[in-house]
Amino acid sequence: MEYQVIIPAAGQGKRMGANRNKLLLEVDGRPIIVHTLKVFEQDENCRGILLAIHPDDHLVLLELFDQYNIRKVTAMVEGGKERQQSVYYALKQALPNGVVLVHDGARPFIQQNTINELVSVAKETGAAIAAVPVKDTIKTVKQGLVDKTIERSSLWSVQTPQAFRHSLLMEAYEQAESSAFLGTDDASLVEEMGKKIQVVEADYDNIKLTTKEDLIFAEAIIRKRKEQ
Ligand code: CTP
Ligand code: MG
């Protein structure tokens, strides 16, 4: 089932502390963003990649597309201050039909079976997100004191991709803009409209590379996959 994917890649990677866009750091000898792009490049159902970038990275990215034979990037837009703006600018360049995925450039380990399932559920129902059950016990804390313990069985850690019918996602982003709503993920904008979002159980190794330790996890995930 065909889809387009928006990849926000315009962040500054502040928590990684590399003084540059973390997506250009290498794991297993390739920039993180190349790993992410390759997943979609190799998926025959992906009909186009819309990338939100920082203008400073533009030339480097064009060189990487050449070097790694990445041909499906149909639009490169300048990102905004917030991830939500970056996604919105890219969404405006998407073909106005079918299913659109939004996937963080910083999650290079997304697996094909999760993508397939998200696309198919979003096509059927309008909206689907990747998530995993929370492993830790989660408590709310106020002024250094435990407030309460939240029932773990209802807690899920939400990832990307998040998949939507184009029309629904566009409406959600337009509404968020007109009401100045800033969500923490794409689905939260759709939730604001009172729409149901399906949850697709994904993998624990679909991590977002955020801090330095995550680079060690990333190398380990790649090693494990090479052994399989
Ligand atoms: N992103 C974006 N535009 C922004 C902020 C983030 O396109 N204004 C992208 C990032 O490039 C990343 C994804 O959104 O692929 C998830 O964001 P995050 O992991 O928070 O990356 P950064 O914002 O770059 O990192 P930090 O928050 O540590 O600065
Ligand atoms: Mg960020």
Side-chain angles (χ1 to χ4, degrees):
M1 230 169 282
E2 288 200 330
Y3 66 91
Q4 305 169 79
V5 63
I6 290 171
I7 301 185
Q12 296 183 8
K14 285 197 186 129
R15 286 170 287 176
M16 189 63 78
N19 287 322
R20 61 198 281 231
N21 188 348
K22 64 183 177 182
L23 300 181
L24 298 172
L25 298 178
E26 293 191 354
V27 296
D28 194 38
R30 290 174 174 206
I32 292 165
I33 190 64
V34 170
H35 288 273
T36 309
L37 288 167
K38 273 284 178 190
V39 173
F40 296 99
E41 184 69 30
Q42 285 161 3
D43 181 3
E44 59 183 26
N45 291 319
C46 176
R47 55 184 184 139
I49 301 170
L50 303 120
L51 202 56
I53 64 159
H54 190 282
D56 286 355
D57 300 331
H58 189 222
L59 284 179
V60 179
L61 284 166
L62 291 180
E63 281 167 18
L64 290 173
F65 297 169
D66 248 18
Q67 188 180 346
Y68 291 101
N69 221 4
I70 291 160
R71 302 270 170 259
K72 280 192 188 168
V73 177
T74 51
M76 279 168 98
V77 302
E78 183 172 342
K81 200 165 155 286
E82 302 289 341
R83 178 188 181 280
Q84 185 172 317
Q85 294 166 322
S86 298
V87 172
Y88 190 30
Y89 300 152
L91 178 59
K92 287 177 177 174
Q93 303 296 318
L95 298 169
N97 52 51
V99 167
V100 177
L101 260 60
V102 184
H103 182 62
D104 290 327
R107 287 187 196 269
F109 302 120
I110 181 61
Q111 308 226 48
Q112 189 61 55
N113 58 341
T114 305
I115 295 173
N116 295 349
E117 171 128 21
L118 285 163
V119 174
S120 123
V121 177
K123 191 171 179 200
E124 184 87 4
T125 67
I129 61 175
V132 287
V134 162
K135 296 187 207 177
D136 292 322
T137 293
I138 310 271
K139 298 181 193 286
T140 54
V141 175
K142 288 183 180 159
Q143 274 124 31
L145 293 173
V146 170
D147 173 40
K148 48 180 178 290
T149 303
I150 304 172
E151 164 72 23
R152 188 172 60 203
S153 61
S154 66
L155 289 173
W156 286 65
S157 239
V158 167
Q159 308 174 337
T160 69
Q162 301 196 343
F164 310 91
R165 278 194 208 119
H166 177 280
S167 52
L168 177 61
L169 190 61
M170 189 54 107
E171 203 183 330
Y173 265 87
E174 282 166 354
Q175 271 197 26
E177 170 154 278
S178 63
S179 60
F181 174 77
L182 191 62
T184 48
D185 68 346
D186 308 288
S188 59
L189 278 50
V190 177
E191 289 157 35
E192 281 292 294
M193 298 170 56
K195 296 277 186 222
K196 284 201 169 67
I197 319 266
Q198 306 290 315
V199 174
V200 167
E201 185 160 359
D203 296 288
Y204 284 107
D205 66 7
N206 180 28
I207 58 169
K208 183 161 72 68
L209 306 186
T210 306
T211 58
K212 278 257 175 314
E213 304 72 56
D214 294 329
L215 298 178
I216 300 168
F217 298 138
E219 297 290 353
I221 291 164
I222 289 172
R223 208 178 322 125
K224 177 192 82 181
R225 289 192 183 174
K226 281 183 179 166
E227 282 163 8
Q228 275 165 0

